[in-house]
């Protein structure tokens, strides 16, 4: 049997790395899944060993475009853990603000793409329109729409002034009403319910076995959140709550993400209250990194980011281990895809908000004719969209 | 101007390919589709297969595992076509240049017509690059 | 009971060294033959969450760190084992934690550390035709 490699499908930024899934199917049903990765492997852990401690923040920013604030925060936490230092209070609030803005824009981005996969292109267009003002705010605060470079070991790189705070407040208020509308649309739509409820269910045991984190775990009733469990930045000074749901299907994952957006808005507003009309230090200068090891964590949009650094007293790390949340979230496909139909695979894969570029196609193995067919991602998405159409009619 | 280029410049269909990027460039490309930037007003459409494409928008440092795929996509695209390297990664390799899994930069793998530096280049920069390309054809 | 007391009690004399360099960070050095037993106690009995494992190439040996998280206390516990320089081998934890398969494959191809009884030890991130014996993340 010859396997044909048809390299690419259409692209979606929902997918960080070009990846390769092999689905073994019996008719329409998926019986097994294989995962091959590495198309996007750039060897960042090794490159990090050749960079200066300060340069590494820029490097880790470029691990993932959407989490381009999460990795630097986790890295700075790790180095600060090694040093045993604390950062100034104002810097803590600024870190929190940027982290939560990132969460907002990423959750919205996910909602749009999930809508696209289900054939709701209206949702896609809407949500991406709502997201734009957020990116403008980011540009105003940090100087770039993505890759913000706000974090520095010992604090932050730039301050936020009162004018910016005012503009940010206004944007958040409009976003809140828009998000309320969006949440209602998603929760009440019967077709969406039919497509998402009880699809791709993950139980508590699956979550434990694969170590899944973030909204994926919280949708299955596993109540974990680094922001609360091991607080860093300003999260312990602020009043907010962790959102959990019990069913573990794609619908619950969507609900968790949408409700988290409201929490994020709440967090940012409180942070703004505390730093408005005040001045303060934003950086604790760090001169030297002594030998030792440190672990830093951050609750990114997709779950816990974990960084481990080891120093021998020289100017660059001798080991830097990075674990992105998708590394543990993606393998849960093994549990959630099996037994589902091919048309549901797209949304299940999207449900965990995986982190790889979809230059991908899935090879479908037909167990009856014992022949391998190659199906592109377009086809899978099209199948998914057709199913929604059928449901709409009935 | 021969008939092929004349037909080509009417409505460019673009195909987007990531070869080991950090995703930001890819999001900015997708952002061009969103209501604010809306590249469809120039007749550009993002298509799902290189076989339909006139322009390849390529992001990322070409990783070793991706090398063959890039060549194959280029091979599958009907000629004449344009290759646009989006982002510093595709232009020069950015900070990943020294990595052990790097097979690029892109210009060593396939011929590139346009380079858009920036990390990431904004949607406005991407659109203006493609429009410049169009004008040059005229 | 405090977590560090609990850990010491449960692991008993398998603990070779117990370090708490910072608040909420615990490193426990154990013998590599006891790895499966210790991991089982931490993962199953004490109900920790598996986070990740990291390999390290030192001058005289290899080192594996298995990180577990106790989310109720917000503590990260890292099990540390040292491996032989010439023939780095350690027991695989796949039978205990299914999700650990990928990081073991990755560590194998990056450092050449062999995981005994991992049924699927083949290339994951690097291309299939990566030269054998070339481990990119090892120190040169
Ligand atoms: S150029 Fe910058 S933004 Fe674009 S893929 Fe490379 S690192 Fe990411």
């Amino acid at each position: 049997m010859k396997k044909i490699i048809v390299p690419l499908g259409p692209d979606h930024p929902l997918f960080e790395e070009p990846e390769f899934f092999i689905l073994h199917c019996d008719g329409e049903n998926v019986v097994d899944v294989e995962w091959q990765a590495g198309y996007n492997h750039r060897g960042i852990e090794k490159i990090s060993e050749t960079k200066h401690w300060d340069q590494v923040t820029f490097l880790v920013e470029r691990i993932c475009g959407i989490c381009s604030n999460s990795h630097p925060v986790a890295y700075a936490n790790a180095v600060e853990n090694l040093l045993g230092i604390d950062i100034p209070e104002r810097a803590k609030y600024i870190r929190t603000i940027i982290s939560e803005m990132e969460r907002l824009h990423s959750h919205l981005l996910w909602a749009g793409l999930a809508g696209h996969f289900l054939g709701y292109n209206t949702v896609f267009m809407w949500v991406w329109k709502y997201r734009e003002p957020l990116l403008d705010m980011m540009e105003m605060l940090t100087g770039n729409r993505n890759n913000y470079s706000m974090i520095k070991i010992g604090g932050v790189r730039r301050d936020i002034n009162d004018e910016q705070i005012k503009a940010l407040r206004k944007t958040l208020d409009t976003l809140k009403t828009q998000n309320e509308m969006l949440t209602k649309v998603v929760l009440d739509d019967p077709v969406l319910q039919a497509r998402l409820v009880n699809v791709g269910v993950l139980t508590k045991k699956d979550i434990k076995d694969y170590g899944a984190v973030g909204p994926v775990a919280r949708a299955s009733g596993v109540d974990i959140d680094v922001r609360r469990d091991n607080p860093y930045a300003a999260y312990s000074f602020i009043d907010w709550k962790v959102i959990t749901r019990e069913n573990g299907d794609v619908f619950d994952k969507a609900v968790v993400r949408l409700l988290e957006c409201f929490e994020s808005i709440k967090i940012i507003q409180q942070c703004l209250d505390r730093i408005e009309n005040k001045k303060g230090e934003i950086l604790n200068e760090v001169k030297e990194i002594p030998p030792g090891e440190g672990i830093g964590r951050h609750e990114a949009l997709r779950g816990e980011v974990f960084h481990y650094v080891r120093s021998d007293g020289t100017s660059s790390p001798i080991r830097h281990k990075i674990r992105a949340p998708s590394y543990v979230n993606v393998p849960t496909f093994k549990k959630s895809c099996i037994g589902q139909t091919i048309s549901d695979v797209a949304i299940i894969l999207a449900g965990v908000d995986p982190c790889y570029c979809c230059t991908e196609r899935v090879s479908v193995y037909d167990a009856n004719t014992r022949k391998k067919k190659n199906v592109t991602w377009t086809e899978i998405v099209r199948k998914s969209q057709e199913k929604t159409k059928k449901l709409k009619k009935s | 101007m021969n008939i092929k280029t004349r037909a080509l410049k009417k409505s460019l269909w673009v195909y987007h390919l990531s070869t080991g990027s950090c995703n930001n460039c890819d999001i900015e490309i997708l952002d061009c589709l969103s209501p604010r930037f809306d590249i469809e007003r120039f007749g550009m459409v993002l298509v799902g297969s290189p076989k339909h494409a006139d322009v390849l928008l390529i992001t990322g440092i070409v990783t070793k595992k991706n090398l063959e795929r890039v060549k194959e996509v280029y091979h599958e695209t009907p000629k004449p076509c344009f290759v646009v390297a989006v982002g510093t990664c595709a232009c020069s390799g950015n900070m990943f240049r020294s990595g052990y899994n790097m097979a690029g930069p892109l210009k060593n793998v396939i011929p590139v017509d346009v380079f858009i530096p920036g990390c990431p280049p904004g949607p406005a920069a991407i659109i203006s690059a493609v429009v410049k390309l169009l004008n040059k054809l005229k | 009971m405090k977590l560090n007391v609990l850990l010491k009690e449960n692991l008993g004399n398998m603990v070779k060294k117990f370090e708490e360099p910072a608040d909420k960070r615990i490193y426990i050095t154990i013998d590599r033959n006891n790895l499966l037993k210790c991991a089982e106690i931490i993962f199953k009995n004490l109900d920790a969450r598996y986070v990740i494992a990291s390999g390290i190439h030192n001058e005289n040996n290899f080192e594996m760190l298995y990180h577990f998280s106790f989310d109720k206390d917000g503590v990260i516990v890292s099990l540390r084992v040292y491996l032989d320089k010439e023939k780095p081998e350690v027991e695989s934890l796949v039978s205990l934690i299914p999700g650990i398969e990928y990081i073991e494959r990755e560590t194998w191809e990056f450092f050449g550390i062999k995981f005994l009884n991992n049924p699927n030890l083949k290339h994951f991130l690097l291309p299939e035709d990566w030269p054998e014996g070339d481990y990119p993340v090892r120190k040169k």
Side-chain angles (χ1 to χ4, degrees):
Chain A
M1 208 168 8
K2 204 171 147 240
K3 202 170 89 188
I4 319 151
I5 303 281
V6 183
L8 303 145
D11 259 276
H12 278 284
L14 186 56
F15 306 103
E16 193 70 8
E17 300 168 309
E19 301 216 352
F20 188 13
F21 284 93
I22 305 172
L23 300 183
H24 298 258
C25 299
D26 184 5
E28 280 279 292
N29 292 325
V30 179
V31 289
D32 198 9
V33 190
E34 257 177 67
W35 177 32
Q36 286 183 16
Y39 293 99
N40 212 23
H41 176 64
R42 285 162 288 168
I44 290 179
E45 288 177 14
K46 184 72 183 174
I47 298 173
S48 171
E49 291 169 15
T50 63
K51 299 262 183 256
H52 186 268
W53 288 98
D54 266 339
Q55 288 175 316
V56 177
T57 31
F58 300 112
L59 180 71
V60 293
E61 208 161 75
R62 282 157 181 78
I63 292 171
C64 163
I66 308 182
C67 317
S68 63
N69 188 57
S70 311
H71 283 286
V73 171
Y75 167 72
N77 280 346
V79 180
E80 283 151 15
N81 179 248
L82 189 164
L83 289 162
I85 59 164
D86 207 12
I87 63 170
E89 201 180 319
R90 194 176 172 86
K92 284 186 178 171
Y93 284 116
I94 295 177
R95 275 189 189 182
T96 314
I97 292 170
I98 303 291
S99 305
E100 292 307 312
M101 288 200 40
E102 195 185 54
R103 190 181 320 274
L104 270 176
H105 105 73
S106 167
H107 281 349
L108 288 179
L109 187 139
W110 177 84
L113 287 169
H116 172 68
F117 286 154
L118 292 172
Y120 269 79
N121 269 324
T122 325
V123 174
F124 172 70
M125 289 295 173
W126 265 352
V127 172
W128 281 58
K129 193 167 92 192
Y130 299 159
R131 205 182 132 251
E132 263 330 298
L134 264 179
L135 292 184
D136 287 347
M137 284 299 117
M138 278 300 200
E139 193 168 4
M140 180 187 77
L141 296 179
T142 70
N144 201 356
R145 290 160 53 92
N146 313 81
N147 287 352
Y148 319 111
S149 307
M150 272 303 253
I151 309 298
K152 196 171 179 194
I153 296 167
V156 292
R157 224 169 268 278
R158 296 179 197 87
D159 206 349
I160 295 181
N161 64 30
D162 288 347
E163 249 164 65
Q164 291 170 331
I165 292 177
K166 244 183 241 139
L168 191 53
R169 278 231 166 92
K170 225 166 110 203
T171 317
L172 287 179
D173 287 342
T174 17
L175 190 74
K176 199 168 168 196
T177 32
Q178 287 165 339
N179 202 20
E180 261 159 19
M181 192 270 287
L182 190 75
T183 315
K184 276 188 202 130
V185 169
V186 172
L187 300 191
D188 295 345
D189 191 315
V191 179
L192 276 185
Q193 297 235 359
R195 278 308 307 275
L196 302 180
V197 174
N198 289 334
V199 169
V201 177
L202 287 171
T203 61
K204 274 190 182 162
K205 180 166 183 305
D206 300 337
I207 300 290
K208 180 162 167 65
D209 279 351
Y210 287 90
V213 287
V216 178
R218 289 197 284 274
S220 299
V222 180
D223 188 8
I224 49 172
D225 194 318
V226 183
R227 291 177 288 172
R228 180 200 55 201
D229 300 336
N230 185 2
Y232 54 94
Y235 289 110
S236 51
F237 316 149
I238 278 173
D239 170 37
W240 61 284
K241 57 179 193 294
V242 178
I243 309 278
T244 53
R245 281 289 175 277
E246 289 303 322
N247 279 338
D249 49 12
V250 181
F251 186 73
D252 275 2
K253 286 174 194 140
V255 173
V256 167
R257 290 203 175 93
L258 286 170
L259 294 183
E260 271 184 11
C261 288
F262 292 109
E263 292 302 311
S264 294
I265 294 177
K266 228 165 81 189
I267 295 174
I268 302 176
Q269 280 169 338
Q270 291 181 46
C271 287
L272 292 179
D273 289 340
R274 313 263 173 109
I275 61 170
E276 199 170 16
N277 299 326
K278 277 199 202 113
K279 289 242 147 35
E281 281 290 306
I282 55 162
L283 186 64
N284 263 349
E285 199 75 49
V286 173
K287 291 260 159 46
E288 231 169 59
I289 315 273
E293 52 194 346
I295 290 173
R297 299 199 282 168
H298 167 63
E299 183 75 21
L301 357 139
R302 298 180 175 107
E304 173 201 40
V305 173
F306 179 96
H307 279 232
Y308 168 86
V309 291
R310 179 182 284 189
S311 160
D312 61 350
T314 52
S315 59
S316 37
I318 55 167
R319 178 78 175 117
H320 184 185
K321 173 76 203 160
I322 301 157
R323 205 244 19 220
S326 293
Y327 201 91
V328 283
N329 283 347
V330 171
T332 58
F333 290 157
K334 266 216 140 99
K335 286 279 176 258
S336 57
C337 285
I338 291 174
Q340 307 280 343
T341 59
I342 302 179
S343 50
D344 282 335
V345 166
I347 190 64
I348 297 174
L349 296 184
V352 301
D353 196 358
C355 214
Y356 45 74
C357 284
C358 177
T359 47
E360 204 22 68
R361 66 99 179 78
V362 183
S363 118
V364 176
Y365 183 82
D366 195 324
N368 289 332
T369 59
R370 308 203 54 76
K371 241 170 66 202
K372 245 181 201 169
K373 281 192 294 183
N374 280 298
V375 178
T376 60
W377 183 256
T378 350
E379 258 170 81
I380 301 251
V381 172
R382 193 185 39 102
K383 274 204 163 171
S384 167
Q385 294 178 343
E386 266 167 17
K387 188 167 175 188
T388 310
K389 264 193 209 136
K390 257 189 244 153
L391 277 172
K392 265 189 194 157
K393 278 191 198 124
S394 58
Chain B
M1 189 189 298
N2 67 23
I3 183 147
K4 270 188 185 162
T5 31
R6 212 160 134 173
L8 181 65
K9 69 167 212 281
K10 281 264 155 56
S11 156
L12 290 179
W13 282 18
V14 296
Y15 176 73
H16 157 223
L17 162 67
S18 155
T19 63
S21 64
C22 82
N23 213 16
N24 256 342
C25 286
D26 313 276
I27 295 177
E28 296 295 49
I29 289 175
L30 219 81
D31 231 12
C32 299
L33 283 178
S34 69
R36 169 160 325 166
F37 297 99
D38 192 15
I39 67 170
E40 288 189 15
R41 68 201 146 112
F42 300 113
M44 290 178 220
V45 187
L46 208 59
V47 292
S49 159
K51 293 186 177 124
H52 303 156
D54 303 312
V55 178
L56 294 179
L57 294 178
I58 303 192
T59 63
I61 66 166
V62 180
T63 58
K64 283 192 178 145
K65 236 180 173 172
N66 251 322
L67 186 63
E68 288 310 311
R69 301 170 136 215
V70 178
K71 285 185 189 157
E72 210 169 318
V73 166
Y74 182 69
H75 180 71
E76 279 175 9
T77 318
K79 311 285 170 333
C81 70
F82 298 108
V83 179
V84 182
V86 182
T88 314
C89 277
C91 292
S92 68
N94 211 350
M95 46 180 71
F96 310 108
R97 209 165 39 230
S98 57
Y100 53 81
N101 207 19
M102 158 106 180
L106 189 64
K107 62 173 186 273
N108 300 353
V109 183
I110 55 174
V112 181
D113 299 286
V114 181
F115 294 92
I116 313 178
C119 187
I126 297 173
I127 295 174
S128 98
V130 181
V131 171
K132 263 185 201 154
L133 181 80
L134 267 182
N135 287 339
K136 223 172 151 194
L137 275 182
K138 277 183 187 147
Chain C
M1 204 191 303
K2 288 272 284 199
L3 187 65
N4 44 11
V5 185
L6 193 70
L7 278 169
K8 275 184 196 152
E9 219 163 72
N10 272 283
L11 296 178
N13 55 8
M14 286 188 282
V15 179
K16 272 163 84 184
K17 201 167 159 202
F18 196 94
E19 295 162 278
E20 278 179 273
D23 186 30
K24 305 205 168 181
R25 302 284 184 262
I26 296 175
Y27 297 85
I28 305 171
T29 312
I30 53 169
D31 194 81
R32 80 183 150 102
N33 300 324
N34 290 334
L35 176 66
L36 199 57
K37 246 189 267 160
C38 292
E40 193 166 349
I41 291 172
I42 291 183
F43 185 73
K44 279 245 169 80
N45 304 3
L46 301 180
D47 202 25
R49 175 168 61 84
Y50 142 74
V51 179
I52 197 69
S54 33
I56 300 164
H57 185 194
N58 294 333
E59 224 167 284
N60 305 321
N61 53 15
F62 284 93
E63 190 178 329
M64 279 298 289
L65 281 168
Y66 294 85
H67 308 283
F68 293 92
S69 166
F70 287 84
D71 290 309
K72 291 218 176 61
D73 314 82
V75 177
I76 291 271
V77 174
S78 308
L79 283 181
R80 193 198 304 272
V81 291
Y82 289 105
L83 312 178
D84 194 44
K85 188 184 180 190
E86 299 305 323
K87 211 166 145 231
E89 280 179 351
V90 67
E91 193 64 30
S92 159
L93 296 185
V94 172
S95 54
L96 185 66
I97 314 164
I100 210 165
E101 176 193 334
Y102 298 100
I103 185 64
E104 289 190 348
R105 283 165 67 182
E106 190 190 302
T107 316
W108 167 73
E109 62 185 0
F110 283 176
F111 290 98
I113 295 175
K114 206 164 149 214
F115 292 89
L116 307 171
N117 302 329
N118 181 333
N120 209 1
L121 209 57
K122 53 184 193 214
H123 277 299
F124 176 55
L125 289 178
L126 300 177
E128 286 297 323
D129 55 357
W130 193 267
E132 212 174 304
D134 177 8
Y135 300 112
V137 190
R138 275 194 188 182
K139 296 262 184 297
K140 292 279 147 54

